[in-house]
Amino acid sequence: MAIPFSLIDKAYNQQNNFENLQELKNSSVKERLKRINKIANYINEPKNVAKITAALSKDLGKSEEEVTLSEIYPLLLTIKTVTKNLKRWSQDEYLPTPLTMIGLTSSIKYEPKGHVLIIGPWNYPFMLSINPLIYAIAAGNAVIVKPSEIAANTSSLVKEMISEIFPTNEVTVIEGGIEETTHLLAKKFNHIYFTGSPNVGKVVMEASAKHLCSVTLELGGKSPVIIDQTTNIKTTAKKIAWAKTLNCGQTCIAPDYILVKKEVEKDFIAAYKQAITELLDPQNNGINNSAYFGKIINKKNYDRLINLIEDAKEKGALVSDYSLASKENKFIPPVVVANANNSMSIMKEEIFGPLLPIITFESLNDVITQINELPKPLALYIMSKSSKTVDHIIKNTSAGNTMVNELMMNVAHPDLPFGGVNNSGIGKSNGRYSFINFSNERGLMKRKWGTHKFIYPPFNKTIYKLLKIIARV
Ligand code: NAD
């Protein structure tokens, strides 16, 4: 049901006025943490955990364990990190002042950006709406959250939760799709934090340009895994099977495609299939009956993924059995697409599903060429025991994040910047990086004594000579 624009305008105006933004700006660390604690209390309450789990099970078929590990636990970790560090992050930071500026003191004041908009995606629809919210509150902003309409059950739960714990002037949720988001995007915000696809990221950036509003764009793309002959194929296959099937492959940093050394391709495919069975169907009940393998978000995405498989097949790919796929149940089993190449649609867009294209390589040059032919990935994974190979790949490519001999775990590090580069994103998140996204680092200089009038005209020749000597590098 469309949200009347008048309601959106009312919520926006309740937040976007000088008095409200000033009050939030001047709130103490203690007050901000008190607000954040309301989120902790909500998600620690067993009856609310049950509601969150039910919504995510309906939207994405997530198991209770998956909800705990990937939607709730990361929020608790964020709250811990913020609680521990907020005082330090928000304190004025004094810097040494260069000798040439003698008499002045320099510091950085962290002030909230003011009024911020958070737009969430559907794949981790709870966590990715609430996680940036925690940081936005920590920095002292008024916040509008727009969760994804595609995960409808979770969106309405986020709305219910926020209305229960926050007054509208502090945080409010506007539900809706393109129309409502477009209406919001036309308004003047001080920062927009968007998580979603590169295409919609461009829409957000264009809209924000009208107000010269800053943006954080957490986007996606094709994240490759490079496997060479030195790696332990069995362990590598298990890690990839886990990362590719978590949330049914609908994870921004999921391995998108494999670049494998020709001589170990067959071993890898066999080990990958074996690992899928071990992880998701150890009793051989059929992977469609697995308690730990979710579903495709909707029929539109189901069709998109099946089209990718069919297009690849037509163009010569060797596709593993996917006869268990069911549109009715929005179910697609993990599918291996061997013999893939860049002419196939599956290599032209982010897959965001349990399909794994495999491209073989003979030399590291092939790897570098392949990676650099596509937009810079959000994540690049290297599975190799050779530090020479690892260094060579890192030196000759660019990616938002890189992991060596592991997958996806970097996102959980509270102090490691997380985010893309160009097409896969703009700006970094996690820990202090997220706090900074929502803060203005206001440079402050104060004159304590003296003057710099010797740099004003008319110039004194001797002082001018002296300045030239001091300025020399
Ligand atoms: P999406 O871009 O389709 O939608 C994201 C949000 O934008 C939703 O709230 C949606 O309502 C809104 N939206 C959609 N079309 C719009 C339009 N034309 N104008 C204005 N608003 C619009 O993304 P999605 O399908 O929800 O999520 C999947 C994408 O998100 C993938 O590309 C994935 O890689 C990326 N993602 C990135 C991260 C990250 O941290 N980098 C995390 C999760 C997902």
Side-chain angles (χ1 to χ4, degrees), residues 34-50:
K34 211 168 142 191
R35 279 181 210 131
I36 290 169
N37 249 316
K38 292 187 197 176
I39 297 176
N41 291 340
Y42 186 96
I43 57 180
N44 273 324
E45 183 72 49
K47 78 169 195 306
N48 295 329
V49 173

Side-chain angles (χ1 to χ4, degrees), residues 257-284:
Y257 69 100
I258 303 289
L259 280 169
V260 63
K261 186 82 194 263
K262 179 91 184 132
E263 67 199 68
V264 290
E265 181 199 15
K266 273 204 179 88
D267 289 350
F268 170 72
I269 293 177
Y272 179 73
K273 288 181 178 169
Q274 173 75 20
I276 295 279
T277 307
E278 283 169 14
L279 291 179
L280 302 173
D281 189 22
Q283 315 288 344
N284 259 312

Side-chain angles (χ1 to χ4, degrees), residues 119-124 128 146-150 176-179 181-182 185 193-201 203-204 217-221 250-253 301 350 352 378 411 418-420 424-425:
I119 303 176
W122 55 257
N123 62 334
Y124 291 87
L128 290 174
K146 210 298 292 175
S148 171
E149 75 288 8
I150 293 183
I178 297 181
E179 249 184 86
T181 318
T182 306
L185 285 173
Y193 188 101
F194 171 81
T195 310
S197 59
N199 280 344
V200 182
V203 174
V204 170
L217 304 177
E218 288 289 353
L219 311 177
Q250 300 165 122
T251 301
C252 57
I253 46 171
N301 269 291
E350 182 181 0
F352 228 53
L378 178 60
V411 71
F418 175 83
S424 53

Side-chain angles (χ1 to χ4, degrees), residues 399-414:
N401 312 272
T402 290
M403 280 201 92
V404 178
N405 295 324
E406 194 44 88
L407 291 106
M408 303 211 301
M409 301 198 34
N410 58 313
V411 71
H413 191 306

Side-chain angles (χ1 to χ4, degrees), residues 425-436:
I426 292 179
K428 299 287 175 180
S429 298
N430 275 2
R432 190 167 184 276
Y433 293 93
S434 286
F435 174 77
I436 297 290

